[in-house]
Amino acid sequence: MSNTFFQFKKFLIHQDRCAMKVTTDSCLFGAWTAEKIKQIHEESMHVLDIGTGTGLLSLMLAQNINSHIDAIEIDREAFEQAMENVEASIFSRTINIIHGDARIFVSPVKYDFIISNPPFYENELKSGNIKKNKAHHHEGLLMEDLFSIIKEHLQPAGTFYLLLPYKRNNELRKIMAKYALVVTHCTLVRQSIVHPYFRIMVSGKHKEEENQISSSDELAIKNEINEYSPEFISLLKEYYLHL
């Protein structure tokens, strides 16, 4: 049975009413995204978190960047739990939790940054757990929907960040092209240096020219003796209690 809460250095995540729990790769993605944003933007900014779940990503970003974050969640119980997690934190003034469907979300502003840990398995066999189906598959919200939302809400010079299974890498790029969006950087993630890639962390923008430059690198969560890698520790040391 999963823990009902996850204690970070500066906030606490309760997760007993959320189908999707705190995972190592979601924590890595939150830390990676916060670091990327810090490198390119120092002023106050607007961020949209699509499918916030427990509120984890929004809280990780709020800890390290000067921002106003709108975090939208369609599932009622997850929304309520995210609200509780945010309200109990020292970052409550910077995060606005919204209960709603991102496909019909209306915002008075365009966002500097959009973040999402979107549907992983929308074309695969679903479990008998309705809540977990929604969290894994975002029933009704497909990958094309996600990029349509990003296209509509991302300001012209803005950047989006996504966490996806490695096997969706090629599909991701094809769908993005339909919406005139491009990958600017991709980090390939392994469980350890002896495992194959299992996740990709992607940053992207609106397409500006035919041959926009894209870079890539890789990161292993653990080393050959099953200890956290130096790269992982560097990213997560501000969040994890025991690093």
Side-chain angles (χ1 to χ4, degrees):
M1 181 177 178
S2 300
N3 289 336
T4 60
F5 67 91
F6 198 105
Q7 179 68 61
F8 291 85
K9 286 182 177 177
K10 294 189 177 181
F11 56 87
L12 176 68
I13 294 288
H14 287 283
Q15 53 183 0
D16 55 293
R17 287 183 285 144
C18 290
M20 296 307 297
K21 311 304 182 185
V22 172
T23 61
T24 303
D25 53 306
S26 62
C27 293
L28 173 63
F29 176 61
W32 178 86
T33 300
E35 185 62 27
K36 292 291 184 186
I37 292 175
K38 281 197 299 183
Q39 290 173 3
I40 62 175
H41 208 296
E42 295 181 354
E43 300 176 355
S44 180
M45 65 203 78
H46 283 85
V47 179
L48 176 63
D49 177 2
I50 301 173
T52 194
T54 61
L56 171 67
L57 297 182
S58 289
L59 284 162
M60 293 184 78
L61 262 62
Q63 178 177 321
N64 266 300
I65 63 174
N66 180 18
S67 61
H68 171 82
I69 303 170
D70 287 331
I72 189 165
E73 173 57 50
I74 194 169
D75 180 79
R76 166 61 70 174
E77 288 191 274
F79 157 74
E80 291 174 352
Q81 187 136 70
M83 282 279 290
E84 293 167 4
N85 288 334
V86 167
E87 289 175 356
S89 78
I90 60 174
F91 309 110
S92 58
R93 292 186 178 181
T94 65
I95 303 173
N96 176 35
I97 305 293
I98 301 164
H99 181 230
D101 187 335
R103 294 169 299 179
I104 57 175
F105 173 60
V106 177
S107 171
V109 300
K110 297 284 187 179
Y111 292 91
D112 302 293
F113 299 99
I114 296 178
I115 62 172
S116 185
N117 181 355
F120 275 2
Y121 310 110
E122 65 190 33
N123 295 319
E124 298 179 14
L125 183 65
K126 299 180 181 180
S127 73
N129 185 319
I130 295 173
K131 287 185 68 177
K132 185 163 285 190
N133 280 342
K134 285 186 177 180
H136 273 302
H137 304 271
H138 284 214
E139 291 185 344
L141 179 65
L142 304 178
M143 186 76 78
E144 293 221 13
D145 296 322
L146 178 66
F147 286 118
S148 176
I149 294 164
I150 291 172
K151 180 72 174 178
E152 178 181 357
H153 292 289
L154 187 67
Q155 67 145 303
T159 305
F160 63 87
Y161 299 92
L162 305 175
L163 174 66
L164 290 165
Y166 173 72
K167 64 184 179 181
R168 302 197 71 175
N169 191 11
N170 292 332
E171 177 192 6
L172 158 79
R173 294 167 190 267
K174 290 178 182 178
I175 298 174
M176 284 175 61
K178 292 174 62 175
Y179 292 92
L181 299 167
V182 294
V183 172
T184 55
H185 184 81
C186 181
T187 295
L188 310 176
V189 182
R190 305 175 188 266
Q191 291 280 13
S192 78
I193 62 172
V194 299
H195 283 85
Y197 302 127
F198 81 115
R199 297 284 184 266
I200 52 174
M201 300 187 295
V202 173
S203 67
K205 289 181 170 289
H206 292 288
K207 185 175 181 179
E208 297 172 346
E209 54 191 46
E210 283 303 314
N211 297 307
Q212 275 182 283
I213 297 173
S214 175
S215 60
S216 65
D217 57 17
E218 63 176 74
L219 187 151
I221 293 172
K222 293 188 175 182
N223 60 22
E224 69 278 5
I225 57 173
N226 206 37
E227 295 176 341
Y228 286 134
S229 68
E231 295 83 5
F232 182 88
I233 292 171
S234 177
L235 284 169
L236 272 298
K237 63 185 178 183
E238 294 185 46
Y239 306 95
Y240 273 16
L241 278 178
H242 304 297
L243 288 183

